[in-house]
């Protein structure tokens, strides 16, 4: 039974599969059907003539060019057609809106659509249909811009069109509409800027400069289309204003190449610019054969040839396999449509008989990193951009791309090899050299960033070797070749003169070198977005735990204890007065004698209540009971607060931190000395600043080339402080912990004087913005922090600052309780003194009584 059910399921599956595959007739058993739509409403008086020409052309093509296949043709003079599964292709001549409406119906049936439509109409999806606009010579510009957008030659969200008086208002309106109208591609936000095309060259240049210098690129965008008769002046002014850069894109549409020398035009493009130039190559001498009749014939002929080719291929395959296999593998409607469309497009592109008169050529300027290709004898030659052939446009094929219109936007440096400068300075740059002094391997934070930049911006790099024997700063850059994660962070305030020379002379494009951002270098170098910010801190002796002898007093401050004592001293007498003066006792004939009618008993009653003890007496009057009840509430709050804080002080021992800020340090209340590393940003800053506390810090500071064991021993002794990067101090603390297994040092809570560290480029580098964008992205993604953490010391129990003590289960010991025993001893001693005093007083009274003269009684 189970096998029978499985068999039925398999049959159902095969039937469904075959039924889906065979939802249209094969070309071997049925003729193809073509629907021809000639919209009478769209053509108007041209309808009859067009119908006759098209009908004659189709008959001619079927007779001469269709081989081994049949074609049924159905003509329609309206666009509301319901296409069924028997159709193969639809040929239409209709308005733009009607063409898109037809396409939506054709797409559902997966048919091929060959559409001839209005100019300025967005082309149908290139992989599903063929669209040919009816363009006249001289008014093709709006269609070009429509095709630029729909073919995704540029992916702009905003565009600014610069134009002059050569174009009338209607043409510019069509141009703007062609970019902003909605279609399958996203519409652009278009801004128009009209330029003065004065005949006076100086006046024209000044007017253009005034217009561009005040142009709000931040809010409007930096994508420009120049449609003007004066592109030379525009590109000259834009270059002067630095508007042609890595962040902008400029498309120049040269409608009259006879008046504009394109070769001279590119001489104004500087390194890093993104410029494309479209040149009008329209044939106006009558040698072209563009005409609608010729176009109809060529388009239908290519369709007939594609249909014949498909039939031949199907016959070849069908003759070699069974009917069941054929139904399984034969082309689907989508595959048949795609094959025919690809064949027709290839023929129109490569074997055109009706060559269009209208033709535009697009060239792109290559500028990024090109300067380093122009070398002669190891020296850089003058920069000269290269124009590459990127695309052509004609009305039939639209855009035919050979390369990206803006190649650097799409592919960065296009895999060029650019020279970079680097030197050994761990952990930022860890460079290994071979015996010949050549770079063998590189790693480190800056190298990781360099490799990520190379991937994202599509370049390779050649290391410009800085000789180890070259000039350097006073401290060594070349020690610790086998740096480990436990070595400290080397200073970045200092640049070898060899490297500085490479960058100032533009011999290298980029310096993969971590360098402190400082005004001295900012005059001759460009800094990227900071890759790290190192804050300065102070390494101090780990604070000792305060004595716990007076731990029982710690929950309250001195003023709290004073207020509590005064309250205790006053509440007893107050209670006595209220209780004694209450008329309750006279009313009930109670004798005011003994008990709470004595002031000392009232005091001890309130004291006992404070210690949560009861008393022998309870006031009978309501006034007295209100005083007692209120005092009990006060006692409840005081005792609860005291007990909670006492537990906290037992769990978290109080630490005595002598110095936490620079201000506390320079006040010299604790007699500390301090030292900093020489040749650092901190030393430079302290010498130049006018802030009082830093001036005082500099006056008494000691400098050293490196932190020695002697300096650390001075800190351990409790009277010296080391000031350095907090990361370096953490390295020192970890190193000492590994050697001694003791936590003898800690860091101050205050971080001060952030030192920004960035990579470097030549001062006039056009690539600063793109490097900044990529570095900022790495920071946002957490890459740089991850790479930096690989060289930070691992956390241990000494890593935390003195203010954050690790929570442990604390067992109360004798040290915690010594204050209690102290109170007990003081109480006993006080009681002994009082009892001695009482004994003395009693003896004095007895002696005094014996001295009295008594009367003689017989």
């Amino acid at each position: 039974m189970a096998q029978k059910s499985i068999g039925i399921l398999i049959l159902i599956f095969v039937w469904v599969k075959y039924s889906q595959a065979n939802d249209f007739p094969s070309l071997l058993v049925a003729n193809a059907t073509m629907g021809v739509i000639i919209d009478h409403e769209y053509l108007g008086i041209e309808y009859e003539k067009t119908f006759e020409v098209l009908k004659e052309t189709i008959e001619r093509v079927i007779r001469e060019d269709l081989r081994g296949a049949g074609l049924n043709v159905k003509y329609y003079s309206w666009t509301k057609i319901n296409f069924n599964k028997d159709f193969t292709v639809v040929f239409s001549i209709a308005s733009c809106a009607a063409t898109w409406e037809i396409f939506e119906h054709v797409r559902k049936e997966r048919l091929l659509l060959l559409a001839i439509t209005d100019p300025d109409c967005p082309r149908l999806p290139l992989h599903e249909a063929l669209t040919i606009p009816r363009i006249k010579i001289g008014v093709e510009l709006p269609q070009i811009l429509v095709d630029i957008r729909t073919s995704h030659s540029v992916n702009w969200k905003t565009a600014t069109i610069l134009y002059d008086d050569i174009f009338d208002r209607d043409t510019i309106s069509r141009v703007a509409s062609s970019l902003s109208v909605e279609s399958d591609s996203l519409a652009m936000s278009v801004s128009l800027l009209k330029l003065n095309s004065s005949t006076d060259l100086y006046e024209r240049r000044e007017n253009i400069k005034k217009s561009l210098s005040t142009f709000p690129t931040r809010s409007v965008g930096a994508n420009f289309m120049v449609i003007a008769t004066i592109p030379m002046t525009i590109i000259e002014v834009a270059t002067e204003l630095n508007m042609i850069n890595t962040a902008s894109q400029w498309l120049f549409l040269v409608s009259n190449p006879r008046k504009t020398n394109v070769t001279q035009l590119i001489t104004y493009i500087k390194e890093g610019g993104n410029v494309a130039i479209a040149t009008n190559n329209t044939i106006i001498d009558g040698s072209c054969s563009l005409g609608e009749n010729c176009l109809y014939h060529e388009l239908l002929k290519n369709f007939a040839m594609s249909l014949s080719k498909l039939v031949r291929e199907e016959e070849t395959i069908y003759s070699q396999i069974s009917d069941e296999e054929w139904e399984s593998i034969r082309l689907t409607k989508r595959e048949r449509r795609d094959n025919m469309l690809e064949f027709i497009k290839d023929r129109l592109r490569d074997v055109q008989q009706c060559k269009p008169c209208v033709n535009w050529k697009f060239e792109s300027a290559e500028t990024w990193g090109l300067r380093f290709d122009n070398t002669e004898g190891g020296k850089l030659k003058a920069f000269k951009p290269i124009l590459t052939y990127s695309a052509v446009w004609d009305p039939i094929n639209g855009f035919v791309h050979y390369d990206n219109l803006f190649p650097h936007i799409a592919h960065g440096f296009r895999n060029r090899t650019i020279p970079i400068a680097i030197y050994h300075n761990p952990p930022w740059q860890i460079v290994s050299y071979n015996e010949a002094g050549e770079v063998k391997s590189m790693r480190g934070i800056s190298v990781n960033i360099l490799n990520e930049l190379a991937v994202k911006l599509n370049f390779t790099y050649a290391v410009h070797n800085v000789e180890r024997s070259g000039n350097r700063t006073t401290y060594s850059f070349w020690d610790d070749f086998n740096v480990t994660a436990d070595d400290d962070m080397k200073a970045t305030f200092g640049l070898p003169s060899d490297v500085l020379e490479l960058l100032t002379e533009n011999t290298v494009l980029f310096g993969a070198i971590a360098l402190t951002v400082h005004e001295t270098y900012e005059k001759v170098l460009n800094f990227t977005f900071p890759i790290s910010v190192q804050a300065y801190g102070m390494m101090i002796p780990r604070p000792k735990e305060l004595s716990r002898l007076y731990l029982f007093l710690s929950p309250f401050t001195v003023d709290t204890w004073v207020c509590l004592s005064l309250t205790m001293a006053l509440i007893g007498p107050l209670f006595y007065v209220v209780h004694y003066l209450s008329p309750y006792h006279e009313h009930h004939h109670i004798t005011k004698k003994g008990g709470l009618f004595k002031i000392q008993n009232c005091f001890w009653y309130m004291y006992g209540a404070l210690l949560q003890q009861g008393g022998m007496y309870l006031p009978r009057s309501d006034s007295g009971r209100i005083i007692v009840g209120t005092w009990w509430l006060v006692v409840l709050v005081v005792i609860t607060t005291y007990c909670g804080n006492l537990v906290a002080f037992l769990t978290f021992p109080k630490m005595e931190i002598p110095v936490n800020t620079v201000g506390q340090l320079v006040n010299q209340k604790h007699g500390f000395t301090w030292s900093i590393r020489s040749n650092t940003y901190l030393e430079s800053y302290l010498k130049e600043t006018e802030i009082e506390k830093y001036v005082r810090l500099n006056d008494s500071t000691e400098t050293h080339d490196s932190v020695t064991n002697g300096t650390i021993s001075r800190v351990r002794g409790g009277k010296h402080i080391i000031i350095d990067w907090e990361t370096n101090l953490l390295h020192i603390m970890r190193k000492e912990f590994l050697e001694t297994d003791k936590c003898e040092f800690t860091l101050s809570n205050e971080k001060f004087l952030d030192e920004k560290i960035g990579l470097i480029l030549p001062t006039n580098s056009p690539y600063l913005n793109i490097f900044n964008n990529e570095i900022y992205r790495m920071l946002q993604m957490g890459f740089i922090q991850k790479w930096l953490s690989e060289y930070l010391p691992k956390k241990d129990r000494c890593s935390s600052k003195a203010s954050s003590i690790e929570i442990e289960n604390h067992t109360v010991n004798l040290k915690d309780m010594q204050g209690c025993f102290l109170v007990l001893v003081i109480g006993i001693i006080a009681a002994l003194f009082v009892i001695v005093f009482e004994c003395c007083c009693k003896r004095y009274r007895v002696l005094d009584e014996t001295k009295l003269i008594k009367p003689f009684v017989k």
Side-chain angles (χ1 to χ4, degrees), residues 131-379:
T131 315
I132 301 177
R134 307 171 73 193
I135 293 178
K136 297 180 181 178
I137 296 177
V139 291
E140 70 275 7
L141 194 56
Q143 183 65 49
I144 293 175
L145 298 184
V146 169
D147 291 342
I148 284 177
R149 199 188 77 192
T150 55
S151 65
H152 301 285
S153 299
V154 295
N155 294 313
W156 296 352
K157 295 182 180 179
T158 62
T160 301
I161 300 175
L162 308 180
Y163 69 99
D164 57 17
D165 296 331
I166 190 174
F167 295 101
D168 56 29
R169 185 174 180 178
D170 180 62
T171 302
I172 293 301
S173 176
R174 288 176 57 199
V175 166
S177 177
S178 66
L179 292 175
S180 58
V181 67
E182 292 187 6
S183 64
D184 274 5
S185 57
L186 294 176
M188 294 182 190
S189 174
V190 179
S191 302
L192 299 175
L193 179 61
K194 186 176 181 180
L195 302 175
N196 191 333
S197 57
S198 172
T199 54
D200 182 73
L201 180 61
Y202 177 79
E203 181 182 352
R204 179 172 62 190
R205 191 180 188 282
E206 289 302 310
N207 288 331
I208 293 174
K209 186 175 182 179
K210 182 180 179 180
S211 299
L212 293 182
S213 61
T214 58
F215 190 78
T217 54
R218 287 191 176 183
S219 57
V220 178
N223 304 319
F224 298 90
M225 288 186 180
V226 180
I227 310 172
T229 55
I230 48 172
M232 198 76 69
T233 308
I234 295 174
I235 195 171
E236 180 185 356
V237 173
T239 302
E240 181 183 337
L241 296 175
N242 198 29
M243 295 181 69
I244 300 180
N245 49 50
T246 56
S248 64
Q249 300 176 49
W250 289 75
L251 174 59
F252 288 85
L253 297 159
V254 181
S255 58
N256 192 343
R258 292 176 178 83
K259 293 184 178 181
T260 303
N261 189 337
V262 175
T263 304
Q264 186 179 359
L265 188 68
I266 67 170
T267 59
Y268 292 99
I269 304 173
K270 291 186 177 180
E271 184 179 6
N274 299 304
V275 177
I277 301 173
T279 308
N280 187 0
N281 291 336
T282 298
I283 301 172
I284 57 175
D285 57 5
S287 61
C288 63
S289 56
L290 179 62
E292 290 194 358
N293 295 347
C294 181
L295 177 62
Y296 299 156
H297 180 267
E298 183 164 14
L299 194 58
L300 293 168
K301 177 181 179 180
N302 289 332
F303 163 70
M305 294 177 67
S306 68
L307 187 63
S308 302
K309 178 174 177 289
L310 279 179
V311 171
R312 288 195 302 271
E313 291 176 350
E314 289 189 1
E315 287 177 343
T316 302
I317 297 173
Y318 179 74
S319 64
Q320 300 175 7
I321 60 176
S322 64
D323 291 344
E324 291 79 7
E325 291 174 324
W326 167 249
E327 289 297 328
S328 175
I329 68 170
R330 74 183 179 93
L331 297 178
T332 64
K333 291 181 74 173
R334 183 187 299 274
E335 291 171 341
R336 189 165 71 181
R337 178 199 67 191
D338 294 345
N339 285 346
M340 288 191 295
L341 179 60
E342 191 64 29
F343 180 88
I344 294 172
K345 288 168 66 176
D346 290 343
R347 291 276 304 178
L348 289 175
R349 185 169 57 248
D350 302 331
V351 192
Q352 284 193 31
Q353 295 179 355
C354 300
K355 294 184 178 181
C357 301
V358 182
N359 183 276
W360 284 68
K361 179 177 70 173
F362 287 78
E363 296 174 291
S364 304
E366 286 197 38
T367 61
W368 288 23
L370 188 65
R371 175 166 53 91
F372 300 100
D373 290 344
N374 300 332
T375 57
E376 187 177 61
K379 294 184 178 180

Side-chain angles (χ1 to χ4, degrees), residues 398-411:
F399 266 95
V400 179
H401 289 277
Y402 303 102
D403 200 347
N404 291 93
L405 204 56
F406 294 99
H408 298 305
I409 298 297
H411 302 299

Side-chain angles (χ1 to χ4, degrees), residues 601-788:
N601 289 343
C602 290
F603 174 80
W604 288 111
Y605 183 87
M606 291 301 187
Y607 180 73
L610 181 63
L611 301 180
Q612 296 183 315
Q613 300 297 319
M616 290 181 60
Y617 312 103
L618 186 66
R620 295 183 180 181
S621 63
D622 291 339
S623 57
R625 290 183 176 184
I626 290 174
I627 290 291
V628 171
T630 305
W631 177 245
W632 284 343
L633 292 175
V634 172
V635 167
L636 180 64
V637 174
V638 170
I639 296 302
T640 304
T641 306
Y642 178 84
C643 293
N645 284 346
L646 185 61
V647 172
F649 276 93
L650 283 169
T651 307
F652 302 98
K654 190 174 181 181
M655 312 296 285
E656 182 182 13
I657 305 176
V659 176
N660 241 332
T661 64
V662 173
Q664 292 175 351
L665 178 62
V666 297
N667 286 334
Q668 286 292 340
K669 290 183 179 179
H670 299 278
F672 278 99
T673 58
W674 57 87
S675 60
I676 64 174
R677 281 205 287 181
S678 57
N679 298 311
T680 59
Y681 174 72
L682 176 60
E683 182 184 30
S684 173
Y685 179 82
L686 293 180
K687 290 179 179 179
E688 297 172 0
T689 186
E690 296 180 357
I691 301 176
E692 182 182 356
K693 65 177 181 179
Y694 292 130
V695 171
R696 294 171 63 187
L697 184 70
N698 182 59
D699 291 340
S700 303
T701 190
E702 303 174 13
T703 59
H704 51 76
D705 292 336
S706 60
V707 178
T708 62
N709 291 332
T711 306
I712 295 175
S713 297
R714 292 175 64 190
V715 178
R716 188 182 289 112
K719 290 300 178 182
H720 190 73
I721 291 176
I722 298 176
I723 303 176
D724 206 337
W725 284 352
E726 192 171 70
T727 50
N728 282 343
L729 299 178
L730 288 172
H731 278 291
I732 296 172
M733 289 170 56
R734 176 169 174 77
K735 181 179 178 182
E736 292 300 314
F737 169 71
L738 294 175
E739 291 180 358
T740 63
D741 198 29
K742 296 180 182 179
C743 296
E744 300 177 294
F745 308 100
T746 190
L747 301 180
S748 62
N749 289 334
E750 182 189 45
K751 294 181 181 179
F752 66 97
L753 196 62
D754 292 339
E755 183 173 341
K756 296 180 181 179
I757 299 170
L759 305 181
I760 51 178
L761 291 89
T763 186
N764 57 349
S765 174
Y767 308 110
L768 179 63
N769 287 333
I770 61 170
F771 279 108
N772 277 341
N773 292 337
E774 292 300 325
I775 289 174
Y776 184 67
R777 181 190 61 82
M778 288 183 233
L779 285 167
Q780 285 185 314
M781 299 295 290
F783 291 161
I784 295 180
Q785 183 58 36
K786 176 183 176 294
W787 298 327
L788 189 62

